[in-house]
Amino acid sequence: MTKINTVLGSIEVEELGFTLMHEHIFNANWAMRSVFGNWVDKEAGINKAVGHLKAARDLGVTSLLDATPINLGRDVHILKEVSERSEVHVIAATGLYYNHEPWMTNWEIDRLVDVLLQDIVQGIQGTNGKAGVIKCATDTDGVTPENEKLLRVAARLHLASGIPITTHTDVNEKTGLGQIEIFEDEGVDLNHVIIGHSGDSEDLGYLEDMLNKNVTIGMDRFGLDMMLETEKRVSVISELCARGWAEQMVLSHDACCVMDWFPADTFAMMSSQIAPNWNFSFVPGQVIGLLQEAGISEDQIRAMTHGNPARCLLPSK
Ligand SMILES: [Zn+2]
């Protein structure tokens, strides 16, 4: 297969172009927002996302991977509207976040795979927009029994469909390594795995342990300086490029246009004051220049923004 699933249908891999590989357009709890009409301002959120994506498009971005898992409120109708209005390709995810939910206990792995596979094969929420990536996550608790189950769901979805896996990790607990162990155990070709949030780490030993397994690592939290400052993120990428790893890194912000983990006014204050660069334009507008100043070649930058996303997103079958 040479096509990539987007929320508006499939595109040729050559159409991807400059791709932000881990972002969030709309992150809001399904139950709360369906019960309370004022839980989040959906229209304002969509308008904000369209504005941010148009700004990134003006700087050269042509595609965006929305890594929002189903149970953080992934809503394909919103993603479709944002993609249509911004004229940026949006790749949606299927898969589940790490938080344990009561129903997860008694569902066997393969039954969950059968359910989620519908997002990839039939389309999401009754639309022709199919998932182009599988999301899973391991946080500070590491690979708990419940988390292991969800990682195996992601692995088997990949084996059944060929579409790649992208993850959330906690670098302090080096949880990418635990994820890799499970994927290897399931027989996943690690060329089709992106270990997310690796760019929060300055631990070159940890990063090279993962790179040596052939995964791609997400240097995907530019703008979140409270996790790691921009210049440190740039110098880690520069050192890894010098060591020959440019073909296994992708860039992004993990930015959220709407996020209900905080009340709206708190989130707006954080976005504007604490993390003012945490938006879809920082990488194309400023980080690329910093990578050039750090001596990273144009070919290496193009690999991280264009070539690696295309290779990663191309289904394995
Ligand atoms: Zn994320």
Side-chain angles (χ1 to χ4, degrees), residues 1 3-6 10 65 74 91-95 116-122 124 129-135 153-166 183 188-189 191-194 311-317:
M1 201 169 141
K3 289 183 184 288
I4 310 290
N5 291 336
T6 81
S10 63
L65 189 159
R74 178 214 61 188
I91 295 120
T94 188
L116 269 59
L117 202 53
Q118 297 173 100
D119 274 348
I120 306 169
V121 175
Q122 293 166 26
I124 303 171
K130 296 175 182 172
V133 71
I134 299 152
K135 174 72 180 285
V153 168
R156 292 182 201 181
L157 278 169
H158 165 72
L159 294 173
S161 68
I163 71 168
I165 297 171
T166 193
F183 299 150
V188 172
D189 174 352
N191 275 305
H192 303 287
V193 173
I194 303 154
R311 175 183 53 76
C312 288
L313 289 172
L314 196 62
S316 63
K317 64 179 185 184

Side-chain angles (χ1 to χ4, degrees), residues 22-24 27 67-69 72 97 135 167-168 197 220-221 253-256:
H22 189 125
E23 309 290 354
H24 299 277
N27 201 321
T68 310
L72 289 187
Y97 209 49
K135 174 72 180 285
T167 80
H168 161 106
H197 310 338
D220 56 16
R221 277 183 163 169
H253 311 87
D254 197 19
C256 301

Side-chain angles (χ1 to χ4, degrees), residues 152-275:
R152 291 190 188 280
V153 168
R156 292 182 201 181
L157 278 169
H158 165 72
L159 294 173
S161 68
I163 71 168
I165 297 171
T166 193
T167 80
H168 161 106
T169 62
D170 180 277
V171 296
N172 295 316
E173 302 301 325
K174 303 184 183 180
T175 60
L177 293 171
Q179 294 179 332
I180 288 170
E181 262 181 47
I182 302 293
F183 299 150
E184 280 186 316
D185 187 55
E186 290 282 338
V188 172
D189 174 352
L190 297 171
N191 275 305
H192 303 287
V193 173
I194 303 154
I195 302 292
H197 310 338
S198 301
D200 288 347
S201 178
E202 291 184 281
D203 183 341
L204 296 176
Y206 168 58
L207 297 174
E208 287 197 305
D209 280 349
M210 295 195 292
L211 290 162
N212 276 314
K213 292 283 188 179
N214 289 333
V215 298
T216 296
I217 58 174
M219 313 311 265
D220 56 16
R221 277 183 163 169
F222 274 103
L224 282 177
D225 281 26
M226 71 286 273
M227 314 290 281
L228 190 69
E229 296 88 341
T230 299
E231 64 260 36
K232 291 181 178 171
R233 293 178 187 273
V234 168
S235 78
V236 169
I237 293 175
S238 172
E239 178 59 28
L240 290 174
C241 283
R243 296 186 189 189
W245 297 114
E247 307 288 321
Q248 282 171 250
M249 290 188 277
V250 289
L251 308 178
S252 218
H253 311 87
D254 197 19
C256 301
C257 296
V258 172
M259 189 193 210
D260 68 349
W261 294 11
F262 305 91
D265 54 350
T266 309
F267 182 65
M269 183 278 291
M270 288 167 59
S271 305
S272 61
Q273 293 174 35
I274 298 175

Side-chain angles (χ1 to χ4, degrees), residues 234 237-238 284-299 301-302 304:
V234 168
I237 293 175
S238 172
Q286 296 185 55
V287 173
I288 298 299
L290 298 173
L291 297 174
Q292 290 165 332
E293 282 170 26
I296 299 172
S297 74
E298 291 305 316
D299 283 353
I301 291 171
R302 202 169 164 86
M304 292 187 279

